[in-house]
Amino acid sequence: MESLEGTLERITYYNEDTLFMVARLRSDDEQLHAIIGNLPRLSVGERLVLQGEWTVHRDYGRQFKVYRYETQAPHNEKGIRNFLASGLIKGVGPATAEKIVEHFGLEALDIIAGEPERLCEIPGIGEKKAAVIAESLQERQQIIKVMTFLQSYGVSVGYAARIYRRYGDDTVAIVSENPYRLASEVFGIGFKTADKIALEMGLAPNSPHRLRAAILFQLMQAQEQGHVFLPLEELCQQVAAALVSKTETVTTEMVKEEIEYLAEHRRLVLEQLEEITAVYLTALYQAECYVAARLLELADSRSLLQAVEPAALAADGLTLAPAQQQAVQQAVEAGLLVITGGPGTGKTTTIRALITLFHRNGLEVMLAAPTGRAAKRMTEATGLEAKTIHRLLEYAQTEGEGPGFAFQRHEERPLQAHAVIIDEASMVDLPLFYYLLKAIPEGCKLILVGDMDQLPSVGPGNVLRDLITSAVIPVVRLRQIFRQAEDSMIVTNAHRVNEGQLPLLNGSSDFFFIQEADPDIILQQILQLCSVRLPRYKNRDPIDDIQVLSPMRRHRLGVEQLNIQLQATLNPPAPHKPELKLGHTTFRLGDKVMQIRNNYQKEVFNGDVGRITYINTDDGEMMVMYPDVGGAREVFYEQAELEELVLAYATSVHKSQGSEYPIVVLPVVTQHYILLQKNLLYTAITRAKELVVLIGTKKALGIAVRNNKVATRYSGLATRLMNYR
């Protein structure tokens, strides 16, 4: 790499999100040079030592592309004056900077840092202002120190800024002590980046600390893929493969030794489950054991109620099929009941009948669902308020020492209810289900309603399917498709797909298939469908009412590319639409966006979709409007929080769970082969309320329908339920 030294003369362009800078640097021979690169917010007048390479841009000519940088104190009065007047030092403008340099000369920065009280020698600067100036300079120097420290270990400027936002002035101490904390505590930084820093710091490739960090990280990664545990042999192989080194060998035996060490120190739990040695993170193991034991307690509890006669239900407009009557009858006695069925089988009617039963017996009923959209639908269908499970359990800031956030409903402060009904139960993961069960009081009935054939929860576990397959929990299966649903080809085809049959593709007004193999043509047709044809056909809003789903994230017809194209078509740039850039994503006023991390403080969760209603380009702030049970709700985002959002004109089928859209458009092409599965196609179709449009090939449809292999999720709940029984 080449070097370039000089004083920052002018900043031509700077992006606060990407940290990309275009600037002019004056070298010691008084020549001006164009420099580009990802750099923290520097200031005019700062002296820089840059490493990088010279490039030639076809429009802008010769430029120095910066890979690393160091700052030095300005070495002349002009540089010091420019630095102080840059706006980065609070309390100092051009006039004050001139006075400081005129009074202290080349010693100005040293005096501010070491003897700030001497600033009071200058007319117009009192003790308070002197303290503000000194503190601001110290903060500035600390940021540069941290950035320089992280860069020395190969951390890019973008990641360095993210790490500093997380740890502040403690960054150097925390990263030096344990760089592997970055992998679990800083969003976007994985094990590879943390491991690279650790190795750069001199950690041996086969160090026990490295192996233990890799083991824990692999299990946390497994959680994100839905696993509650990993088999011992599989975990050992994964960790050994991840730690391949040119100088040292990491064997599966070495990994196994460190797994045993972590188990001895209660970081992990090893347990024999049938023929598998399961390796759990301790918290998930404890959650699974508690859930199994508590479910059996609920299943064994009995509380006889007065049954509601069919005639009485009919008077309330509820006519029940035999399976629905069975559900109501079992709810009379059972403390725990699972109701499962596909679309059109009367799950909502059954919920309404159960509410009638409980109310006539004087029971207090609470309704909840995993997402805001699902809770809103539940409220509309029943006429009773339904909440998200997080709100039901009152997730809020705790009081006392070390303030944090936690569920306020638990064993010591349970829910004030005689019956709790949870809809869309297939979306509930093991950790959330654990907290829900802790809040169910003694004698309270728990009713879980959901479709076990949909994709499982985004988080770890496969709770609804495990409960049903264990065969030790009372289950009622709704199979009859009701007359009003029989007229819907969406419902008919969803059941056909679930039974392994090709959907019927002709002669329907609510289910269309467009035959096309070329991905570029499919993309253009999707844009035309969403912007013109479907809004005109159904008199629907192209952004709010049409949802494009895709099995994959990266592909010509994957979520990321579809979002870029749909944004340009449905919400193009305009003078009245402010924008914010974050990496390769442009957020624009009016955009449809999705939250991709659970943010308990804001009460927005992974998969929630809203619209951008306000953008402040000066401060990098946004407001997003989310639909909610009690009406729309605006949520504020600071610049550092924008990484929790992505565009949502298109989204993955997994992320669509719990949501229902008037219109769904789904590309089905052989290029998505790896993810063409029956339950994925089934889930996508069942997200639509009024209209489904599939666009692709019959070959790809056939692959999906025939692929009934459900991706393996390692969960011990079903086995544990059977063993405990």
Side-chain angles (χ1 to χ4, degrees), residues 398-606:
T398 56
E399 298 179 359
E401 294 183 10
F405 285 78
F407 291 110
Q408 305 301 306
R409 293 289 180 178
H410 40 68
E411 289 162 315
E412 295 179 4
R413 187 172 175 263
L415 296 168
Q416 300 299 303
H418 301 109
V420 174
I421 302 176
I422 305 295
D423 199 9
E424 296 283 0
S426 63
M427 293 183 62
V428 182
D429 61 25
L430 180 70
L432 183 58
F433 197 51
Y434 164 76
Y435 286 112
L436 173 65
L437 289 178
K438 285 176 76 72
I440 299 294
E442 293 301 319
C444 179
K445 292 176 180 289
L446 177 62
I447 314 293
L448 303 172
V449 183
D451 184 349
M452 67 173 284
D453 294 315
Q454 288 186 20
L455 291 170
S457 58
V458 175
N462 204 347
V463 172
L464 184 65
R465 182 175 286 272
D466 283 350
L467 265 61
I468 293 169
T469 56
S470 73
V472 299
I473 302 297
V475 176
V476 174
R477 298 173 188 268
L478 305 179
R479 293 187 172 93
Q480 179 182 337
I481 302 175
F482 286 87
R483 185 173 301 166
Q484 61 268 31
E486 286 179 343
D487 297 333
S488 166
M489 194 58 72
I490 296 173
V491 172
T492 299
N493 280 336
H495 285 277
R496 286 181 65 88
V497 166
N498 203 32
E499 292 161 6
Q501 302 176 43
L502 280 170
L504 301 173
L505 303 178
N506 298 313
S508 168
S509 61
D510 66 355
F511 197 103
F512 293 94
F513 175 72
I514 300 174
Q515 175 82 23
E516 181 54 62
D518 187 321
D520 289 328
I521 296 176
I522 291 174
L523 175 60
Q524 293 307 312
Q525 289 186 327
I526 288 174
L527 298 178
Q528 182 72 6
L529 282 164
C530 293
S531 61
V532 179
R533 294 172 61 187
L534 292 174
R536 192 178 290 165
Y537 176 64
K538 279 289 186 179
N539 191 28
R540 284 291 193 172
D541 183 271
I543 296 178
D544 287 333
D545 299 329
I546 302 174
Q547 185 62 55
V548 178
L549 303 180
S550 178
M552 301 186 77
R553 294 209 63 79
R554 292 178 179 84
H555 179 261
R556 180 67 171 154
L557 296 174
V559 170
E560 292 175 1
Q561 284 299 314
L562 285 168
N563 268 317
I564 292 170
Q565 298 295 328
L566 285 163
Q567 181 194 42
T569 302
L570 300 178
N571 190 29
H576 65 281
K577 296 179 187 176
E579 299 178 353
L580 286 176
K581 291 185 183 294
L582 181 69
H584 298 295
T585 302
T586 298
F587 293 113
R588 187 173 296 133
L589 186 67
D591 272 340
K592 186 178 186 178
V593 292
M594 175 183 284
Q595 176 83 12
I596 58 170
R597 294 172 64 192
N598 287 340
N599 189 319
Y600 299 104
Q601 288 90 332
K602 295 182 185 297
E603 292 189 15
V604 285
F605 304 101
N606 193 348

Side-chain angles (χ1 to χ4, degrees), residues 376-391:
K376 188 169 185 286
R377 287 205 315 275
M378 201 178 186
T379 298
E380 291 166 351
T382 63
L384 290 181
E385 181 190 12
K387 300 178 179 179
T388 63
I389 297 175
H390 288 89
R391 282 199 187 160

Side-chain angles (χ1 to χ4, degrees), residues 117-133:
E117 66 279 358
R118 288 192 58 192
L119 286 171
C120 297
E121 297 172 12
I122 299 170
I125 299 181
E127 290 183 8
K128 187 175 180 180
K129 187 171 182 178
V132 168
I133 294 170

